[in-house]
PDB file of all heavy atoms in Angstrom:
ATOM      1  N   ASP A   1       0.832  -1.207   0.000  1.00 97.00           N
ATOM      2  CA  ASP A   1       0.000   0.000   0.000  1.00 97.00           C
ATOM      3  C   ASP A   1       0.869   1.259   0.000  1.00 97.00           C
ATOM      4  O   ASP A   1       0.836   2.068   0.927  1.00 97.00           O
ATOM      5  CB  ASP A   1      -0.930  -0.002   1.220  1.00 97.00           C
ATOM      6  CG  ASP A   1      -2.126  -0.903   1.021  1.00 97.00           C
ATOM      7  OD1 ASP A   1      -2.680  -0.920  -0.087  1.00 97.00           O
ATOM      8  OD2 ASP A   1      -2.510  -1.587   1.988  1.00 97.00           O
ATOM      9  N   HIS A   2       1.626   1.448  -1.041  1.00 98.00           N
ATOM     10  CA  HIS A   2       2.631   2.512  -1.052  1.00 98.00           C
ATOM     11  C   HIS A   2       2.029   3.903  -1.195  1.00 98.00           C
ATOM     12  O   HIS A   2       2.533   4.856  -0.600  1.00 98.00           O
ATOM     13  CB  HIS A   2       3.635   2.243  -2.167  1.00 98.00           C
ATOM     14  CG  HIS A   2       4.242   0.880  -2.100  1.00 98.00           C
ATOM     15  ND1 HIS A   2       4.837   0.387  -0.954  1.00 98.00           N
ATOM     16  CD2 HIS A   2       4.317  -0.122  -3.015  1.00 98.00           C
ATOM     17  CE1 HIS A   2       5.269  -0.842  -1.168  1.00 98.00           C
ATOM     18  NE2 HIS A   2       4.961  -1.172  -2.405  1.00 98.00           N
ATOM     19  N   GLN A   3       0.965   4.049  -1.956  1.00 97.00           N
ATOM     20  CA  GLN A   3       0.374   5.377  -2.091  1.00 97.00           C
ATOM     21  C   GLN A   3      -0.218   5.852  -0.776  1.00 97.00           C
ATOM     22  O   GLN A   3      -0.111   7.025  -0.416  1.00 97.00           O
ATOM     23  CB  GLN A   3      -0.707   5.385  -3.180  1.00 97.00           C
ATOM     24  CG  GLN A   3      -1.237   6.776  -3.498  1.00 97.00           C
ATOM     25  CD  GLN A   3      -0.137   7.729  -3.928  1.00 97.00           C
ATOM     26  OE1 GLN A   3       0.624   7.432  -4.847  1.00 97.00           O
ATOM     27  NE2 GLN A   3      -0.026   8.882  -3.269  1.00 97.00           N
ATOM     28  N   ALA A   4      -0.839   4.935  -0.046  1.00 97.00           N
ATOM     29  CA  ALA A   4      -1.368   5.288   1.272  1.00 97.00           C
ATOM     30  C   ALA A   4      -0.252   5.769   2.186  1.00 97.00           C
ATOM     31  O   ALA A   4      -0.415   6.729   2.950  1.00 97.00           O
ATOM     32  CB  ALA A   4      -2.094   4.088   1.886  1.00 97.00           C
ATOM     33  N   LEU A   5       0.914   5.095   2.128  1.00 97.00           N
ATOM     34  CA  LEU A   5       2.045   5.506   2.960  1.00 97.00           C
ATOM     35  C   LEU A   5       2.601   6.841   2.511  1.00 97.00           C
ATOM     36  O   LEU A   5       2.967   7.680   3.341  1.00 97.00           O
ATOM     37  CB  LEU A   5       3.132   4.437   2.917  1.00 97.00           C
ATOM     38  CG  LEU A   5       3.135   3.424   4.062  1.00 97.00           C
ATOM     39  CD1 LEU A   5       3.480   4.122   5.374  1.00 97.00           C
ATOM     40  CD2 LEU A   5       1.798   2.717   4.189  1.00 97.00           C
ATOM     41  N   ALA A   6       2.676   7.062   1.208  1.00 98.00           N
ATOM     42  CA  ALA A   6       3.189   8.343   0.716  1.00 98.00           C
ATOM     43  C   ALA A   6       2.326   9.487   1.220  1.00 98.00           C
ATOM     44  O   ALA A   6       2.838  10.510   1.698  1.00 98.00           O
ATOM     45  CB  ALA A   6       3.235   8.334  -0.811  1.00 98.00           C
ATOM     46  N   ASP A   7       1.011   9.327   1.133  1.00 98.00           N
ATOM     47  CA  ASP A   7       0.101  10.374   1.594  1.00 98.00           C
ATOM     48  C   ASP A   7       0.271  10.621   3.091  1.00 98.00           C
ATOM     49  O   ASP A   7       0.309  11.772   3.547  1.00 98.00           O
ATOM     50  CB  ASP A   7      -1.342   9.990   1.289  1.00 98.00           C
ATOM     51  CG  ASP A   7      -1.632   9.911  -0.204  1.00 98.00           C
ATOM     52  OD1 ASP A   7      -0.838  10.461  -0.987  1.00 98.00           O
ATOM     53  OD2 ASP A   7      -2.652   9.295  -0.573  1.00 98.00           O
ATOM     54  N   CYS A   8       0.352   9.529   3.859  1.00 97.00           N
ATOM     55  CA  CYS A   8       0.424   9.656   5.314  1.00 97.00           C
ATOM     56  C   CYS A   8       1.746  10.281   5.747  1.00 97.00           C
ATOM     57  O   CYS A   8       1.772  11.162   6.616  1.00 97.00           O
ATOM     58  CB  CYS A   8       0.247   8.281   5.958  1.00 97.00           C
ATOM     59  SG  CYS A   8      -0.008   8.344   7.754  1.00 97.00           S
ATOM     60  N   LEU A   9       2.851   9.861   5.156  1.00 98.00           N
ATOM     61  CA  LEU A   9       4.145  10.427   5.523  1.00 98.00           C
ATOM     62  C   LEU A   9       4.243  11.893   5.131  1.00 98.00           C
ATOM     63  O   LEU A   9       4.852  12.700   5.839  1.00 98.00           O
ATOM     64  CB  LEU A   9       5.264   9.615   4.875  1.00 98.00           C
ATOM     65  CG  LEU A   9       5.424   8.183   5.418  1.00 98.00           C
ATOM     66  CD1 LEU A   9       6.399   7.393   4.547  1.00 98.00           C
ATOM     67  CD2 LEU A   9       5.870   8.184   6.869  1.00 98.00           C
ATOM     68  N   ARG A  10       3.632  12.264   4.012  1.00 98.00           N
ATOM     69  CA  ARG A  10       3.595  13.682   3.637  1.00 98.00           C
ATOM     70  C   ARG A  10       2.747  14.488   4.624  1.00 98.00           C
ATOM     71  O   ARG A  10       3.067  15.633   4.946  1.00 98.00           O
ATOM     72  CB  ARG A  10       3.031  13.833   2.222  1.00 98.00           C
ATOM     73  CG  ARG A  10       3.994  13.430   1.116  1.00 98.00           C
ATOM     74  CD  ARG A  10       3.383  13.697  -0.252  1.00 98.00           C
ATOM     75  NE  ARG A  10       4.232  13.257  -1.344  1.00 98.00           N
ATOM     76  CZ  ARG A  10       5.230  13.962  -1.873  1.00 98.00           C
ATOM     77  NH1 ARG A  10       5.530  15.161  -1.368  1.00 98.00           N
ATOM     78  NH2 ARG A  10       5.945  13.491  -2.880  1.00 98.00           N
ATOM     79  N   LEU A  11       1.663  13.888   5.127  1.00 98.00           N
ATOM     80  CA  LEU A  11       0.828  14.562   6.116  1.00 98.00           C
ATOM     81  C   LEU A  11       1.647  14.894   7.362  1.00 98.00           C
ATOM     82  O   LEU A  11       1.612  16.014   7.870  1.00 98.00           O
ATOM     83  CB  LEU A  11      -0.374  13.694   6.478  1.00 98.00           C
ATOM     84  CG  LEU A  11      -1.211  14.173   7.665  1.00 98.00           C
ATOM     85  CD1 LEU A  11      -1.885  15.505   7.379  1.00 98.00           C
ATOM     86  CD2 LEU A  11      -2.233  13.123   8.057  1.00 98.00           C
ATOM     87  N   TYR A  12       2.401  13.906   7.864  1.00 98.00           N
ATOM     88  CA  TYR A  12       3.238  14.163   9.032  1.00 98.00           C
ATOM     89  C   TYR A  12       4.278  15.229   8.740  1.00 98.00           C
ATOM     90  O   TYR A  12       4.591  16.074   9.593  1.00 98.00           O
ATOM     91  CB  TYR A  12       3.925  12.875   9.480  1.00 98.00           C
ATOM     92  CG  TYR A  12       3.025  11.932  10.245  1.00 98.00           C
ATOM     93  CD1 TYR A  12       2.568  10.748   9.672  1.00 98.00           C
ATOM     94  CD2 TYR A  12       2.641  12.226  11.542  1.00 98.00           C
ATOM     95  CE1 TYR A  12       1.749   9.879  10.372  1.00 98.00           C
ATOM     96  CE2 TYR A  12       1.827  11.369  12.258  1.00 98.00           C
ATOM     97  CZ  TYR A  12       1.387  10.194  11.657  1.00 98.00           C
ATOM     98  OH  TYR A  12       0.566   9.346  12.359  1.00 98.00           O
ATOM     99  N   GLY A  13       4.844  15.202   7.534  1.00 98.00           N
ATOM    100  CA  GLY A  13       5.818  16.215   7.171  1.00 98.00           C
ATOM    101  C   GLY A  13       5.215  17.610   7.135  1.00 98.00           C
ATOM    102  O   GLY A  13       5.823  18.584   7.592  1.00 98.00           O
ATOM    103  N   ALA A  14       3.992  17.696   6.614  1.00 97.00           N
ATOM    104  CA  ALA A  14       3.323  18.995   6.540  1.00 97.00           C
ATOM    105  C   ALA A  14       2.986  19.530   7.925  1.00 97.00           C
ATOM    106  O   ALA A  14       2.951  20.754   8.137  1.00 97.00           O
ATOM    107  CB  ALA A  14       2.059  18.881   5.695  1.00 97.00           C
ATOM    108  N   MET A  15       2.725  18.636   8.871  1.00 98.00           N
ATOM    109  CA  MET A  15       2.328  19.026  10.214  1.00 98.00           C
ATOM    110  C   MET A  15       3.498  19.054  11.196  1.00 98.00           C
ATOM    111  O   MET A  15       3.311  19.246  12.393  1.00 98.00           O
ATOM    112  CB  MET A  15       1.245  18.077  10.729  1.00 98.00           C
ATOM    113  CG  MET A  15      -0.032  18.117   9.926  1.00 98.00           C
ATOM    114  SD  MET A  15      -0.830  19.748  10.009  1.00 98.00           S
ATOM    115  CE  MET A  15      -2.303  19.449   9.018  1.00 98.00           C
ATOM    116  N   GLN A  16       4.716  18.860  10.704  1.00 98.00           N
ATOM    117  CA  GLN A  16       5.895  18.883  11.568  1.00 98.00           C
ATOM    118  C   GLN A  16       6.039  20.234  12.261  1.00 98.00           C
ATOM    119  O   GLN A  16       5.804  21.286  11.666  1.00 98.00           O
ATOM    120  CB  GLN A  16       7.138  18.595  10.718  1.00 98.00           C
ATOM    121  CG  GLN A  16       8.425  18.461  11.485  1.00 98.00           C
ATOM    122  CD  GLN A  16       9.594  18.168  10.554  1.00 98.00           C
ATOM    123  OE1 GLN A  16       9.577  18.525   9.377  1.00 98.00           O
ATOM    124  NE2 GLN A  16      10.622  17.511  11.069  1.00 98.00           N
ATOM    125  N   ALA A  17       6.409  20.203  13.528  1.00 98.00           N
ATOM    126  CA  ALA A  17       6.611  21.448  14.268  1.00 98.00           C
ATOM    127  C   ALA A  17       7.814  22.199  13.715  1.00 98.00           C
ATOM    128  O   ALA A  17       8.718  21.606  13.121  1.00 98.00           O
ATOM    129  CB  ALA A  17       6.815  21.149  15.751  1.00 98.00           C
ATOM    130  N   ASP A  18       7.841  23.497  13.945  1.00 98.00           N
ATOM    131  CA  ASP A  18       8.950  24.309  13.457  1.00 98.00           C
ATOM    132  C   ASP A  18      10.292  23.851  14.019  1.00 98.00           C
ATOM    133  O   ASP A  18      11.331  24.001  13.381  1.00 98.00           O
ATOM    134  CB  ASP A  18       8.718  25.783  13.815  1.00 98.00           C
ATOM    135  CG  ASP A  18       7.565  26.400  13.021  1.00 98.00           C
ATOM    136  OD1 ASP A  18       7.210  25.835  11.956  1.00 98.00           O
ATOM    137  OD2 ASP A  18       7.032  27.425  13.477  1.00 98.00           O
ATOM    138  N   ASN A  19      10.263  23.274  15.216  1.00 98.00           N
ATOM    139  CA  ASN A  19      11.515  22.827  15.831  1.00 98.00           C
ATOM    140  C   ASN A  19      11.968  21.461  15.326  1.00 98.00           C
ATOM    141  O   ASN A  19      13.029  20.968  15.713  1.00 98.00           O
ATOM    142  CB  ASN A  19      11.405  22.822  17.355  1.00 98.00           C
ATOM    143  CG  ASN A  19      10.362  21.839  17.868  1.00 98.00           C
ATOM    144  OD1 ASN A  19       9.798  21.044  17.121  1.00 98.00           O
ATOM    145  ND2 ASN A  19      10.095  21.904  19.176  1.00 98.00           N
ATOM    146  N   GLY A  20      11.131  20.806  14.497  1.00 98.00           N
ATOM    147  CA  GLY A  20      11.500  19.530  13.912  1.00 98.00           C
ATOM    148  C   GLY A  20      10.758  18.334  14.460  1.00 98.00           C
ATOM    149  O   GLY A  20      10.809  17.246  13.880  1.00 98.00           O
ATOM    150  N   PHE A  21      10.052  18.474  15.592  1.00 98.00           N
ATOM    151  CA  PHE A  21       9.326  17.363  16.202  1.00 98.00           C
ATOM    152  C   PHE A  21       8.187  16.910  15.284  1.00 98.00           C
ATOM    153  O   PHE A  21       7.431  17.733  14.755  1.00 98.00           O
ATOM    154  CB  PHE A  21       8.770  17.794  17.557  1.00 98.00           C
ATOM    155  CG  PHE A  21       8.035  16.706  18.296  1.00 98.00           C
ATOM    156  CD1 PHE A  21       8.735  15.687  18.913  1.00 98.00           C
ATOM    157  CD2 PHE A  21       6.655  16.709  18.375  1.00 98.00           C
ATOM    158  CE1 PHE A  21       8.063  14.691  19.610  1.00 98.00           C
ATOM    159  CE2 PHE A  21       5.972  15.723  19.069  1.00 98.00           C
ATOM    160  CZ  PHE A  21       6.685  14.709  19.689  1.00 98.00           C
ATOM    161  N   VAL A  22       8.066  15.594  15.097  1.00 98.00           N
ATOM    162  CA  VAL A  22       6.991  15.042  14.278  1.00 98.00           C
ATOM    163  C   VAL A  22       5.789  14.792  15.182  1.00 98.00           C
ATOM    164  O   VAL A  22       5.827  13.941  16.079  1.00 98.00           O
ATOM    165  CB  VAL A  22       7.439  13.748  13.566  1.00 98.00           C
ATOM    166  CG1 VAL A  22       6.275  13.121  12.821  1.00 98.00           C
ATOM    167  CG2 VAL A  22       8.575  14.056  12.597  1.00 98.00           C
ATOM    168  N   ARG A  23       4.734  15.540  14.938  1.00 97.00           N
ATOM    169  CA  ARG A  23       3.587  15.573  15.843  1.00 97.00           C
ATOM    170  C   ARG A  23       2.495  14.598  15.408  1.00 97.00           C
ATOM    171  O   ARG A  23       2.501  14.073  14.308  1.00 97.00           O
ATOM    172  CB  ARG A  23       3.026  17.001  15.895  1.00 97.00           C
ATOM    173  CG  ARG A  23       4.042  18.001  16.408  1.00 97.00           C
ATOM    174  CD  ARG A  23       3.494  19.412  16.483  1.00 97.00           C
ATOM    175  NE  ARG A  23       3.297  20.014  15.160  1.00 97.00           N
ATOM    176  CZ  ARG A  23       2.954  21.280  14.975  1.00 97.00           C
ATOM    177  NH1 ARG A  23       2.768  22.073  16.017  1.00 97.00           N
ATOM    178  NH2 ARG A  23       2.810  21.771  13.768  1.00 97.00           N
ATOM    179  N   TRP A  24       1.569  14.366  16.318  1.00 96.00           N
ATOM    180  CA  TRP A  24       0.330  13.691  15.982  1.00 96.00           C
ATOM    181  C   TRP A  24      -0.632  14.715  15.371  1.00 96.00           C
ATOM    182  O   TRP A  24      -0.449  15.930  15.525  1.00 96.00           O
ATOM    183  CB  TRP A  24      -0.309  13.091  17.226  1.00 96.00           C
ATOM    184  CG  TRP A  24       0.408  11.893  17.767  1.00 96.00           C
ATOM    185  CD1 TRP A  24       1.652  11.456  17.430  1.00 96.00           C
ATOM    186  CD2 TRP A  24      -0.096  10.991  18.745  1.00 96.00           C
ATOM    187  NE1 TRP A  24       1.965  10.338  18.144  1.00 96.00           N
ATOM    188  CE2 TRP A  24       0.912  10.019  18.951  1.00 96.00           C
ATOM    189  CE3 TRP A  24      -1.282  10.894  19.464  1.00 96.00           C
ATOM    190  CZ2 TRP A  24       0.754   8.967  19.858  1.00 96.00           C
ATOM    191  CZ3 TRP A  24      -1.441   9.857  20.363  1.00 96.00           C
ATOM    192  CH2 TRP A  24      -0.434   8.903  20.553  1.00 96.00           C
ATOM    193  N   VAL A  25      -1.671  14.210  14.711  1.00 97.00           N
ATOM    194  CA  VAL A  25      -2.603  15.092  14.021  1.00 97.00           C
ATOM    195  C   VAL A  25      -4.028  14.625  14.324  1.00 97.00           C
ATOM    196  O   VAL A  25      -4.343  13.440  14.202  1.00 97.00           O
ATOM    197  CB  VAL A  25      -2.365  15.086  12.493  1.00 97.00           C
ATOM    198  CG1 VAL A  25      -3.251  16.126  11.811  1.00 97.00           C
ATOM    199  CG2 VAL A  25      -0.895  15.335  12.171  1.00 97.00           C
ATOM    200  N   SER A  26      -4.878  15.565  14.698  1.00 95.00           N
ATOM    201  CA  SER A  26      -6.271  15.239  15.001  1.00 95.00           C
ATOM    202  C   SER A  26      -7.063  15.060  13.711  1.00 95.00           C
ATOM    203  O   SER A  26      -6.620  15.464  12.624  1.00 95.00           O
ATOM    204  CB  SER A  26      -6.895  16.364  15.824  1.00 95.00           C
ATOM    205  OG  SER A  26      -7.111  17.501  15.002  1.00 95.00           O
ATOM    206  N   PRO A  27      -8.275  14.470  13.789  1.00 92.00           N
ATOM    207  CA  PRO A  27      -9.116  14.356  12.593  1.00 92.00           C
ATOM    208  C   PRO A  27      -9.455  15.706  11.965  1.00 92.00           C
ATOM    209  O   PRO A  27      -9.730  15.778  10.762  1.00 92.00           O
ATOM    210  CB  PRO A  27     -10.374  13.651  13.113  1.00 92.00           C
ATOM    211  CG  PRO A  27      -9.920  12.904  14.319  1.00 92.00           C
ATOM    212  CD  PRO A  27      -8.864  13.772  14.949  1.00 92.00           C
ATOM    213  N   SER A  28      -9.435  16.766  12.771  1.00 93.00           N
ATOM    214  CA  SER A  28      -9.691  18.106  12.236  1.00 93.00           C
ATOM    215  C   SER A  28      -8.420  18.760  11.696  1.00 93.00           C
ATOM    216  O   SER A  28      -8.410  19.952  11.399  1.00 93.00           O
ATOM    217  CB  SER A  28     -10.304  18.998  13.318  1.00 93.00           C
ATOM    218  OG  SER A  28      -9.415  19.121  14.418  1.00 93.00           O
ATOM    219  N   LEU A  29      -7.340  17.942  11.583  1.00 95.00           N
ATOM    220  CA  LEU A  29      -6.050  18.394  11.054  1.00 95.00           C
ATOM    221  C   LEU A  29      -5.409  19.459  11.937  1.00 95.00           C
ATOM    222  O   LEU A  29      -4.821  20.426  11.459  1.00 95.00           O
ATOM    223  CB  LEU A  29      -6.186  18.896   9.610  1.00 95.00           C
ATOM    224  CG  LEU A  29      -6.695  17.860   8.601  1.00 95.00           C
ATOM    225  CD1 LEU A  29      -6.683  18.428   7.196  1.00 95.00           C
ATOM    226  CD2 LEU A  29      -5.859  16.580   8.666  1.00 95.00           C
ATOM    227  N   PHE A  30      -5.509  19.235  13.247  1.00 96.00           N
ATOM    228  CA  PHE A  30      -4.808  20.071  14.220  1.00 96.00           C
ATOM    229  C   PHE A  30      -3.635  19.272  14.773  1.00 96.00           C
ATOM    230  O   PHE A  30      -3.835  18.226  15.409  1.00 96.00           O
ATOM    231  CB  PHE A  30      -5.742  20.478  15.358  1.00 96.00           C
ATOM    232  CG  PHE A  30      -5.054  21.285  16.424  1.00 96.00           C
ATOM    233  CD1 PHE A  30      -4.837  22.648  16.250  1.00 96.00           C
ATOM    234  CD2 PHE A  30      -4.597  20.682  17.591  1.00 96.00           C
ATOM    235  CE1 PHE A  30      -4.188  23.388  17.220  1.00 96.00           C
ATOM    236  CE2 PHE A  30      -3.953  21.420  18.568  1.00 96.00           C
ATOM    237  CZ  PHE A  30      -3.748  22.783  18.380  1.00 96.00           C
ATOM    238  N   PRO A  31      -2.389  19.703  14.550  1.00 97.00           N
ATOM    239  CA  PRO A  31      -1.237  18.953  15.061  1.00 97.00           C
ATOM    240  C   PRO A  31      -1.003  19.234  16.537  1.00 97.00           C
ATOM    241  O   PRO A  31      -1.204  20.351  17.007  1.00 97.00           O
ATOM    242  CB  PRO A  31      -0.083  19.476  14.197  1.00 97.00           C
ATOM    243  CG  PRO A  31      -0.489  20.863  13.830  1.00 97.00           C
ATOM    244  CD  PRO A  31      -1.988  20.859  13.726  1.00 97.00           C
ATOM    245  N   PHE A  32      -0.552  18.203  17.260  1.00 96.00           N
ATOM    246  CA  PHE A  32      -0.277  18.385  18.683  1.00 96.00           C
ATOM    247  C   PHE A  32       0.867  17.461  19.096  1.00 96.00           C
ATOM    248  O   PHE A  32       1.122  16.433  18.474  1.00 96.00           O
ATOM    249  CB  PHE A  32      -1.529  18.124  19.530  1.00 96.00           C
ATOM    250  CG  PHE A  32      -2.108  16.746  19.372  1.00 96.00           C
ATOM    251  CD1 PHE A  32      -1.840  15.746  20.301  1.00 96.00           C
ATOM    252  CD2 PHE A  32      -2.948  16.439  18.305  1.00 96.00           C
ATOM    253  CE1 PHE A  32      -2.378  14.472  20.167  1.00 96.00           C
ATOM    254  CE2 PHE A  32      -3.496  15.164  18.170  1.00 96.00           C
ATOM    255  CZ  PHE A  32      -3.207  14.178  19.097  1.00 96.00           C
ATOM    256  N   ASP A  33       1.563  17.850  20.157  1.00 95.00           N
ATOM    257  CA  ASP A  33       2.698  17.065  20.647  1.00 95.00           C
ATOM    258  C   ASP A  33       2.192  15.903  21.490  1.00 95.00           C
ATOM    259  O   ASP A  33       1.332  16.074  22.363  1.00 95.00           O
ATOM    260  CB  ASP A  33       3.623  17.937  21.499  1.00 95.00           C
ATOM    261  CG  ASP A  33       4.361  18.988  20.671  1.00 95.00           C
ATOM    262  OD1 ASP A  33       4.146  19.016  19.442  1.00 95.00           O
ATOM    263  OD2 ASP A  33       5.129  19.773  21.252  1.00 95.00           O
TER     264      ASP A  33
END
């Protein structure tokens, strides 16, 4: 399922904190530590 992984990994990259921490993301697309 490579396309699913590409989309998901890009989502985490887009929501990465400015300091570099890879955050979780809520269903409403709100990132949090």
Side-chain angles (χ1 to χ4, degrees):
D1 281 320
H2 306 308
Q3 188 57 53
L5 264 293
D7 295 343
C8 191
L9 292 170
R10 285 184 183 276
L11 170 65
Y12 283 108
M15 297 297 182
Q16 185 180 27
D18 291 340
N19 63 8
F21 182 75
V22 175
R23 299 181 289 187
W24 288 13
V25 186
S26 72
S28 61
L29 300 185
F30 177 81
F32 59 99
D33 291 0

